[in-house]
Amino acid sequence: MGLFDWLRRRRPAAIPDALWQRTLAGQPFFTALDADEARRLRALAERFLAEKEFTAAGGLELSDEICVAIAAQGCLPVLELGLGAYGDWVGIVVYADEFVVPREFADDDGVVHRYTDVLSGEAWEGGPLLVSWQDVQMAGGDYNVVIHEFAHKLDMLNGEVDGMPALHSGLSVERWEQVFFAAYDDFCARVDSGEETIIDPYAAETPGEFFAVLSESFFGIPDVVAAEYPALYALLRDYFRQDPLARQQKK
């Protein structure tokens, strides 16, 4: 029975062992997990697959490999938070490669301007999440389009994408604002000065993008985040309730 049959059944079913091992292999953010964490991530991914609806676009044919890869990467950030953090949306649209999204805006004179964006991923408020399968397969180091877009979904839980997700009882708004925005301002200054940063300079675009990019870096290059912004690393550690740097150092 394929995953698409499982999705139609709307209840969790086991991901085959061989497929799960292939999904985890070669990715430090997975291989650093201990046995209990890997077991719980698998169970979370199985529930995720039962609850979400995958749709292919751009000539892509969906496969078990695609769905499990996205589920595993997307569930890593909520391993200790639970799937309730993703409970307000259902659809995932997977394109074969980068995709085009039409845009329009009205300027101060009321003139409407239309253009197109070429994207590797996008999260729509109140709607689906879109990703490029080509980019999903490029996950590693500081780049992870799935974690990036899923971080936007976490940010949207309490309203607009502003760099402040809904905070659990272990964190205060005051601490988040003080630590997060101090790091954001510093990073923007570094980028504006022309510094070539290890962390993707796209993080300087907006506070929302800073949160998404730093979420990628937190799981992919935790040593860099901890070295450059130790207070921010501690904040993200307390938010996600995970310590990727400690995992990395155990290996």
Side-chain angles (χ1 to χ4, degrees):
M1 180 177 292
L3 284 181
F4 307 116
D5 295 319
W6 306 350
L7 293 172
R8 282 193 290 271
R9 288 169 59 189
R10 285 295 178 188
R11 64 176 183 268
I15 297 170
D17 289 340
L19 175 56
W20 182 247
Q21 294 307 318
R22 289 198 306 273
T23 301
L24 299 189
Q27 293 291 0
F29 52 83
F30 285 145
T31 56
L33 298 172
D34 64 29
D36 178 66
E37 289 171 328
R39 177 190 59 77
R40 291 189 291 111
L41 179 64
R42 183 175 182 171
L44 207 62
E46 289 167 351
R47 286 178 51 208
F48 181 90
L49 289 165
E51 294 177 6
K52 303 304 181 187
E53 296 178 355
F54 285 77
T55 304
L60 180 71
E61 183 176 339
L62 280 177
S63 67
D64 292 359
E65 176 189 10
I66 291 171
C67 296
V68 173
I70 293 171
Q73 292 180 41
C75 286
L76 180 60
V78 297
L79 179 61
E80 306 298 342
L81 301 177
L83 279 186
Y86 297 153
D88 63 340
W89 58 278
V90 175
I92 300 174
V93 181
V94 189
Y95 287 80
D97 207 333
E98 291 181 326
F99 50 93
V100 176
V101 175
R103 310 284 197 196
E104 68 174 50
F105 73 95
D107 62 23
D108 293 339
D109 296 322
V111 177
V112 176
H113 301 266
R114 295 181 176 84
Y115 64 101
T116 57
D117 267 346
V118 179
L119 304 174
S120 59
E122 185 167 63
W124 290 357
E125 188 172 355
L129 183 147
L130 293 67
V131 290
S132 149
W133 172 235
Q134 180 67 30
D135 285 83
V136 173
Q137 296 176 89
M138 293 166 59
D142 65 338
Y143 185 69
N144 191 303
V145 69
V146 175
I147 290 179
H148 184 106
E149 298 306 333
F150 279 57
H152 281 320
K153 283 294 190 181
L154 292 174
D155 200 344
M156 292 173 182
L157 270 177
N158 59 346
E160 63 185 75
V161 179
D162 57 3
M164 179 177 286
L167 302 178
H168 51 70
S169 59
L171 289 171
S172 69
V173 171
E174 292 76 18
R175 179 187 172 198
W176 189 277
E177 289 180 339
Q178 179 180 6
V179 174
F180 181 87
F181 289 103
Y184 174 65
D185 289 343
D186 178 79
F187 188 77
C188 289
R190 292 170 61 194
V191 171
D192 290 344
S193 74
E195 179 183 342
E196 292 187 9
T197 59
I198 298 174
I199 296 170
D200 187 348
Y202 184 63
E205 288 290 310
T206 64
E209 294 302 343
F210 188 68
F211 175 65
V213 171
L214 266 292
S215 295
E216 294 178 74
S217 298
F218 176 75
F219 288 101
I221 49 172
D223 52 330
V224 174
V225 179
E228 296 191 1
Y229 295 106
L232 178 61
Y233 182 87
L235 182 71
L236 294 174
R237 180 196 62 205
D238 293 346
Y239 170 70
F240 289 111
R241 293 173 170 162
Q242 300 184 59
D243 193 342
L245 181 60
R247 289 181 188 141
Q248 185 183 80
Q249 293 172 339
K250 288 179 181 178
K251 294 297 179 178

